[in-house]
Structure formats: structure tokens, C-alpha cells
Amino acid sequence: MATPSIPDVPPLSVLKVNSTRFASLRGANLLERTTPFSTDFWQPRLTHDVLPYRRTVHGDVSPRVRVSGMQGDAWSGVSFTAQDYLGLSRDPSVRNAVQEALHCYGPHAGSSPMLAGVTPLSEQLEEALAALTGMPHVVLFPTGWAAGFGAITGLVRSRDHVVLDSRAHACLQAGARAATAQVAIAAHLDNASVREKLAEIRSTDTSNAIMVVTEGLYSMDADSPDLRELQDICHEFEAVLLVDMAHDLGALGPGGTGQAGVQGMWGKLDLVMGSFSKCFATNGGFVATRSREVAQYMRMFTSSHFFSSALSPLQAAAALQCARIVTSNEGEQRRQQLGEASDHFRKALANRGHTVVGERSAIVPVDCGTQEAGRLACRLAEQRGLVLALVEFPAVARGTARFRMQLMYDHDLRDLDTAADIVHDCLAGAERQIHDLQVAK
């Protein structure tokens, strides 16, 4: 199998350029003003092979994949980019369920869920998610992003307030900004900061609602909030807590109940949302609540639900069968293997001198130091057979980078040891290359 060709080391100017420079567009022509982004950011990075995006995967989502890049080079390697944490997209029973749904219902729901887009499969999925979350009323969405956005815009109005964790997902940030101008940012996982924001709001406004938004497991840091304390704080100030469980539901906790189950908060949270793109082998998402009235209201007034085509029968079938596996003994065994893989990989990286933040989960964040080092190290690592997700600003601090390494339950432990060696060697090699560039300059 061919590996990507090795171009010359790119100049420092290419390694240093940041996409945020191009975020604020100026100029009268809406289309032409995008050109500098292409000429000054995208194309130079593509030319020098330090633009690790849009990888094409040729085959199943699995720990070992064949991929090709935008320049056409193809190679086989160990992948750390998949979010199919329990490997259920490869499970024969999930594929059989999708095939049966295709035969019975076809590939398309054909309508909005508020009109005639609901199938028996989506109704069964709602019931399965209610049992998994301990929240009896579930509203389905065509994507996880739509669920996060809709969870906020469906309930929050312009006079209301939203308190966001500073590292909340983009869909939650977008939903908050779309719903109200009154958005406060709390320090990451700092419940004292949330309390301070709530007290400040309630000191001047006791008439309007407040939604506090957090996540069960943060995808960039692999860390979690104290949900019990946070829920208590919210109730103290008559605020509602929304928890995004996209990355932990199914992958963590007893019976796959995520951090809610781990922390004894199963069925006790105000609102829960999740995505099917992590442990449920498809696209789609949901919002779960203990209130029938809230679910009824959201179905009518959440535009990303009402005005979207319903979850397809194929999506519903896949997610439903995955929910069954997640709550079975098989799901428990896969979670155990995933945890063991996480422990093993974290230890392997730590033994090589790397600080790995967060807690035991499918997400293993590895600090690359500078943005320049991350870009070079990613290219070097791919030359040696890894497929990596390089994360840059604004997902991490400006000028820094990290590898968000995502595990699957059946990653081979020997591959993880090899990957730890490669990451270590390539980060060191990148630092040497940058030093040489700076000296030459």
C-alpha cells in the first residue's frame, strides 16, 4: 500500500497562519471576499501537506482503515478519528436492522415528524431512549447538531438568559446566540462560576427564565462536570439544566447511562440531549425530558424538529438496534474493553513523558505544544501509518494544537503501544524541524 509522498518541510509562514484571521469577512462581494482564505490559508497548507482534513475512508469505520487525502495519496493505518466508540456500525445485527428497514419502509421518511414522517421504528427508538436516559419523553432530530441547537432555541426566548460552559459545543453556542442576546459564559467545569453568573442574573431579573448548558463528557478535554452539584445550583436559582450527553451516553456508565448513571443522576436531570453519531452507528439526535408538556411544546416550536424531514427509517433502525446492544451484556463487555484500551493508551503516553488530560473514556487528548509542531507532527505521524485528528484554535487556545485521539473498543493494544511511540517520535521530530527553520530564518 502506498503511503503519502513526503514533501519538503513547509515554511514557517505556512505553519503559523491561523484560520481565525479569515473569519470576519469584509467587502461588498459576498462570494469574492472568500478568496484570501483559499489563497493564503487553504491552498498553501494543502500544497505542503499540512492540511489534515477531508480524509476519505475506503471501507468500514474501524481501528484500521485505508484512507486517501485531498492530494490523492492513499495509505493504510491505525485510525484515531472515528467516533464509533463501541464499533456498532460493523455489528451484523445493526446492518441487518437497516436492511430490514429499507425493505419495509424505504430510505426516506418523506415528511416532517410533525406531519407524517414518523414510523413505528422512530416510536420504538423514542421508547428505548426514554429507558436509557430515565427521561420518559423524547423528541427526535435528524442530526445531533440540530438537537443541540433546537434544545435551546425551542425553549429560550429573547428576554431569557443562557449560561454556557466556556467549552460548550458549537451547536450549543450557536443555539444560545440565536435564542437570546443575554448569554453569559461560565469558566469550564467551574460550578462556583455558574453560581456567580446565576446570582448576578437573579439580582436584576426574577421574571425571565435561565438555561444552564453543560456536557456529560467534553470532547476536547475528556472531562466531566459535577452534575449533582450543578443541578442543585440550578434549582436554587430557578434555572433549568441542559446536559449534552453526546460523547458519554452508551460509552460510559452502568448500562450505558453515561455520566448521569456514573454520578447517580440518571433520570434526575432537567433536560438531556444526545447524538447518534457516537455510539449509535448513524446520524441523528434527541432531546429527553421528564415533562410531557415540554416535549409537546418542543415538537411544535423547535424549528430544527418541525421544519426538518424526520429521521429516516434507516437511521431509526440503526439507532434502535444500537440502543438494544448498549443496554445488553454485549454492550457492557464492549464498554469494559473500551475502558481498558483507554487506560492502556493513557499509560503508554504518560510513560513516554506526555501529559494526557481528562479521565478514562474513548477520548484521549494529547497536547502538541505549538500549532506549528502539531501540523508538522501530524504529517510525520501519517507517514508512519496513523490517521489523526489535529485540533487547532478556536477549539483549543490560540497558537496551540492537540491530537484528539478517539478510541474504539477493539483497538489492538499493540497498535496503541506503537501509536504512542509514533506520536512521541513525531512530536520530537517536529520540534527539531521547527528549530531548524527558525535557525535558517
Side-chain angles (χ1 to χ4, degrees), residues 1 17 29 43 77 87 127 130-131 164 168 199 266 313 315 361 369 380-381 402 435:
M1 179 69 62
V17 66
N29 190 303
Q43 205 56 42
E127 294 173 1
L164 277 172
W266 181 83
Q315 291 172 287
S361 69
L380 293 170
R402 72 173 52 165
H435 176 266

Side-chain angles (χ1 to χ4, degrees), residues 29-41:
N29 190 303
L30 190 69
L31 303 182
E32 289 182 357
R33 66 187 191 176
T34 63
T35 299
F37 171 74
S38 176
T39 58
D40 297 342
F41 177 84

Side-chain angles (χ1 to χ4, degrees), residues 48 53 75 184 232 307 347 355 439:
H48 291 280
Y53 306 134
W75 71 99
D232 288 344
F307 294 105
K347 183 178 180 180
T355 300
V439 170

Side-chain angles (χ1 to χ4, degrees), residues 11-22 36-37 39-45 50-51 371-372 375 392-393:
L12 280 172
S13 59
V14 173
L15 296 175
K16 287 181 175 294
V17 66
N18 196 289
S19 63
T20 53
R21 168 182 159 192
F22 307 95
F37 171 74
T39 58
D40 297 342
F41 177 84
W42 189 276
Q43 205 56 42
R45 289 189 63 182
V50 285
L51 188 72
Q371 167 186 282
E372 295 88 334
R375 291 175 180 178
E392 301 179 6
F393 184 84

